[in-house]
Amino acid sequence: MKAISVQATYRIRGEESKVVRVDASNVIENRIGLEPGVSAVKPEAGSYVYSGMHDQGVMVEPKEGGVMSSLVGCLMSAKEENNKYLTSVIDDEKVSNIQGKEPISKKVKT
């Protein structure tokens, strides 16, 4: 089986600013279905969280572990890294604007 990984490359104004790679060897496998003992309930409109129920009734329990669980774990970790990095870029922009400096995202190499 091939190793599972997710890679994100960030470019600000055409310049590569960061590359984040998350592989399955350093993430926790995520549970895809409901926790043991939790009953399926119809989700609220617009909710995309697994609820165990669909319009026609209770869904079959998803298979836990394996490749999909590893992929979900990689995606969750990548999302956390994405949020941290983009928050730092936004915070840097705010500081640059307050101090009257040119923000990082507007600097272009010549």
Side-chain angles (χ1 to χ4, degrees), residues 25-85:
S25 67
N26 59 5
V27 298
I28 298 169
E29 285 192 1
N30 282 32
R31 186 163 182 80
I32 296 170
L34 298 172
E35 294 293 327
V38 175
S39 299
V41 293
K42 186 170 180 170
E44 293 182 27
S47 174
Y48 299 102
V49 175
Y50 180 81
S51 66
M53 189 172 284
H54 194 36
D55 295 341
Q56 287 76 33
V58 177
M59 298 172 72
V60 176
E61 280 286 320
K63 186 172 110 178
E64 297 293 345
V67 176
M68 289 306 291
S69 182
S70 296
L71 179 60
V72 170
C74 285
L75 291 171
M76 298 293 284
S77 293
K79 181 181 177 188
E80 288 176 25
E81 290 297 318
N82 176 68
N83 290 345
K84 287 180 198 173
Y85 177 66

Side-chain angles (χ1 to χ4, degrees), residues 10 12 17-20 79-97 102-105:
Y10 299 90
I12 298 178
S17 59
K18 184 172 182 168
V19 176
V20 173
K79 181 181 177 188
E80 288 176 25
E81 290 297 318
N82 176 68
N83 290 345
K84 287 180 198 173
Y85 177 66
L86 293 179
T87 298
S88 73
V89 169
I90 291 168
D91 290 344
D92 289 347
E93 293 278 323
K94 288 178 184 176
V95 169
S96 293
N97 288 337
E102 186 175 3
I104 295 170
S105 67

